[in-house]
Amino acid sequence: MPTGDGKVMRLDPRSFIVRALNMLGRLGIPIAIGIFTVFDKGKMQGLAYLAPLVLAVIGFNLAVAYLGWRKFTYLVGANDIRVESGIVSRAARSVPYERIQDVSLEQKLLPRLFGLVEVKFETGSGAGEDLKLAYLAETEGERLRELVRERREDDALLASPADTNDEGEAPLAPAEASTVLFAMSPQRLLKYGLFEFSLAIVAVVFGLTQQFDFLLPFDIWDFEAWQGQLAGRGAWLASLGFAVQVMGGILAALFLLVAGFGTGIIRTFTREWGFLLEKTARGFRRRRGMFTRTDVVMPLHRVQAVEIGTRFLRYRFGWHGLKFVSLAQDAGSSSHVVAPFAQMEEIDPIIRAAGFELPGEQLEWQRASTRYRTDSIVLSASFFLLVALVVAIVAPVPFALIPLALAAFSTAADLYAWSFRRHALSQAQLFSTRGLLAPTTQIANRVKLQSVEIVQGPIAQRRGYATLHLGLAGGSFSISGIPLERARQLREAALASIAQTDFSKLD
């Protein structure tokens, strides 16, 4: 169904099928449990009551899905997009084009099989208030996205008869010239997955066995029964000797390793498959996903800051991740991952394309106040000393050495980590680095900051240091423990950059 202009439209008819299948999928587990319970109790006559009930529930959900599709309408007007929905009670919502920050496309597995896409109009209101059209045909989603962007940029633009073809459809927008900035091959994904070790699958299995233990023919949590099995049928295992038991432990450890690496690789491939970052005339376009395919565009002028992060093991091999902090949203987050697994020489051109620069050798780095470092050490060490005192009272004295050792380790770590907490100011940017074993670097554009706030707690007021909070749209950028005079200098520099900028002339 073509995207209209000033005409009330419905979603693609295939969206009804997708909604119905989603509903039936959610009913699958309860229905299966009911059938299994009937067979388990041996009361076959129960099927005579269960079958009509199942059919009634399925029929009801199909009817709800059809009526939901039938009653959902939208209108692409000259100044806004209007949506009406509801079966019993109707709800109408109107979103002006100037309130729409961006339009993104998302394809989960089932809609993707039908050639459908979910169109999301990002308003930045949060709390799941973004407008969604689920689902439209892929070509219609692309056409609607381009149409909304054009009208957002110029509310006075109205479609003319020359803008439609013989069938009354708006023409597809010409393909934008784009430059590939970053892509991930299957080999890169495999390497990335090896660094994403996770035992989440083990936790999921244990959770399922706990929730559905009634489906098992034995009680998995009956440890006395397990002991009886080992003492009876499993006695031969103990007779094999210590070496075999050690081998069993090694095999169990290898199983966990395989499960951990396998989980990491599977999660990486499903999330990042086909990862492609391009620079277009409208900004940055990122596509990724195997089963759920997302297509997000990040306008250049909305990128307020960048963040380069890593993890302990990745850092040793030179791998980092790059995020954009922008006004648009990405699955509920203001941080757009634009290079999840890259070397610094790959990250540098992406940052430059966004109008940022990596820290140079000419920067004058400054650290947090030594008073802040001392106070942090005293506070953390005092906690462990208090724990040591309590342990010494209620337990043998040697156990109190454990929190004392932790206090010494915490002190040494704070002393060493202090040298890695640095910040710097350039003509256009503000830099901050932190992290001992996995450093993180944040770079903010001074012009695009929304606010600058100096915060002092009771101790900081007496000791003469403060925390500087830089306002970003949904992001966070803070510099902790800097001397009060330095915090004021940074605030004045940022406010001066904002005051000297004519935002009406920003591209």
Side-chain angles (χ1 to χ4, degrees):
M1 185 176 292
T3 299
D5 181 14
K7 178 182 177 182
V8 176
M9 308 295 295
R10 286 195 177 91
L11 302 174
D12 192 286
R14 291 170 294 177
S15 65
F16 156 66
I17 301 176
V18 174
R19 289 170 179 252
L21 291 176
N22 284 330
M23 287 185 176
L24 293 178
R26 288 192 291 268
L27 291 173
I29 294 179
I31 292 175
I33 293 175
I35 294 175
F36 183 87
T37 303
V38 170
F39 278 103
D40 185 53
K41 292 182 178 181
K43 297 179 179 180
M44 301 301 296
Q45 64 273 19
L47 289 177
Y49 301 98
L50 182 62
L53 178 62
V54 170
L55 293 176
V57 171
I58 292 176
F60 175 78
N61 280 272
L62 290 176
V64 169
Y66 174 77
L67 291 175
W69 168 78
R70 186 75 181 174
K71 294 292 186 178
F72 189 103
T73 60
Y74 69 96
L75 181 145
V76 181
N79 302 309
D80 59 3
I81 292 181
R82 305 168 194 174
V83 172
E84 292 189 12
S85 60
I87 299 176
V88 179
S89 60
R90 301 287 289 170
R93 185 180 179 190
S94 174
V95 179
Y97 292 121
E98 63 267 19
R99 298 296 183 187
I100 299 176
Q101 295 182 358
D102 198 25
V103 184
S104 62
L105 306 180
E106 179 176 304
Q107 284 183 300
K108 295 183 179 179
L109 177 60
L110 191 56
R112 192 175 181 183
L113 295 176
F114 284 87
L116 301 176
V117 63
E118 182 180 60
V119 183
K120 295 183 179 181
F121 303 95
E122 299 172 355
T123 62
S125 58
E129 294 298 325
D130 290 337
L131 193 64
K132 300 179 182 180
L133 297 179
Y135 302 89
L136 300 177
E138 294 181 18
T139 55
E140 299 308 321
E142 289 282 359
R143 183 183 290 115
L144 182 58
R145 175 162 69 175
E146 294 304 320
L147 178 63
V148 170
R149 284 174 179 168
E150 291 174 2
R151 296 196 174 178
R152 185 191 60 201
E153 294 170 359
D154 186 2
D155 293 336
L157 181 62
L158 295 175
S160 63
D163 293 328
T164 60
N165 57 22
D166 295 338
E167 298 178 359
E169 298 182 2
L172 287 173
E176 291 183 296
S178 61
T179 302
V180 176
L181 294 177
F182 183 74
M184 297 184 71
S185 65
Q187 293 79 8
R188 175 69 65 88
L189 289 175
L190 178 60
K191 188 177 295 184
Y192 182 21
L194 293 175
F195 285 92
E196 290 288 284
F197 181 88
S198 173
L199 291 177
I201 185 64
V202 178
V204 171
V205 171
F206 274 102
L208 291 175
T209 55
Q210 186 173 8
Q211 291 295 325
F212 301 101
D213 55 352
F214 61 91
L215 298 177
L216 299 175
F218 58 91
D219 187 358
I220 192 174
W221 304 110
D222 188 351
F223 295 103
E224 293 184 357
W226 284 105
Q227 291 176 355
Q229 290 289 333
L230 292 176
R233 301 177 187 175
W236 63 271
L237 183 62
S239 65
L240 295 179
F242 178 73
V244 176
Q245 295 176 6
V246 172
M247 184 62 67
I250 294 175
L251 291 176
L254 288 176
F255 170 78
L256 291 178
L257 287 175
V258 172
F261 284 117
T263 302
I265 292 173
I266 292 173
R267 290 173 59 186
T268 300
F269 268 76
T270 55
R271 182 181 64 242
E272 310 293 354
W273 179 260
F275 190 102
L276 182 65
L277 178 70
E278 298 174 294
K279 176 69 183 300
T280 69
R282 297 185 182 275
F284 300 90
R285 184 180 185 183
R286 188 207 65 195
R287 286 169 282 181
R288 67 174 180 177
M290 179 179 292
F291 301 123
T292 299
R293 186 74 175 168
T294 59
D295 186 346
V296 179
V297 175
M298 298 155 271
L300 176 61
H301 66 279
R302 295 172 187 254
V303 180
Q304 297 182 299
V306 298
E307 179 178 312
I308 305 172
T310 185
R311 293 184 182 177
F312 171 73
L313 193 57
R314 294 184 203 168
Y315 182 53
R316 272 63 198 167
F317 291 88
W319 295 105
H320 303 266
L322 176 64
K323 296 180 180 179
F324 284 168
V325 179
S326 72
L327 291 170
Q329 293 184 332
D330 180 12
S333 171
S334 61
S335 296
H336 291 273
V337 178
V338 293
F341 191 70
Q343 299 284 332
M344 288 304 297
E345 56 267 23
E346 296 173 313
I347 289 177
D348 182 57
I350 303 176
I351 288 181
R352 292 185 180 277
F356 295 83
E357 291 185 2
L358 290 172
E361 297 180 356
Q362 74 281 3
L363 281 180
E364 182 181 350
W365 291 96
Q366 296 194 28
R367 294 186 175 90
S369 169
T370 55
R371 293 184 176 182
Y372 171 74
R373 177 191 63 183
T374 302
D375 294 344
S376 299
I377 292 173
V378 170
L379 288 174
S380 59
S382 298
F383 170 76
F384 288 110
L385 291 176
L386 179 61
V387 173
L389 179 61
V390 173
V391 172
I393 295 174
V394 301
V397 176
F399 286 99
L401 297 178
I402 298 176
L404 290 177
L406 292 176
F409 176 80
S410 174
T411 300
D414 285 341
L415 285 171
Y416 189 55
W418 176 78
S419 61
F420 291 87
R421 282 185 171 270
R422 305 183 301 167
H423 67 275
L425 185 71
S426 69
Q427 290 295 325
Q429 300 177 149
L430 188 59
F431 303 85
S432 174
T433 65
R434 66 182 186 275
L436 172 61
L437 302 177
T440 298
T441 300
Q442 289 181 297
I443 308 173
N445 189 311
R446 288 167 52 173
V447 172
K448 295 182 179 180
L449 294 175
Q450 294 180 308
S451 63
V452 187
E453 181 183 12
I454 296 177
V455 178
Q456 286 183 289
I459 299 177
Q461 292 181 35
R462 288 181 169 273
R463 300 283 284 171
Y465 56 83
T467 296
L468 186 71
H469 292 295
L470 305 174
L472 300 175
S476 61
F477 195 133
S478 300
I479 305 175
S480 303
I482 57 178
L484 181 59
E485 186 60 30
R486 175 63 175 173
R488 290 171 176 169
Q489 292 176 0
L490 295 177
R491 180 179 63 181
E492 294 304 319
L495 293 177
S497 299
I498 297 174
Q500 295 172 6
T501 304
D502 184 356
F503 287 90
S504 65
K505 296 182 179 180
L506 284 180
D507 184 6

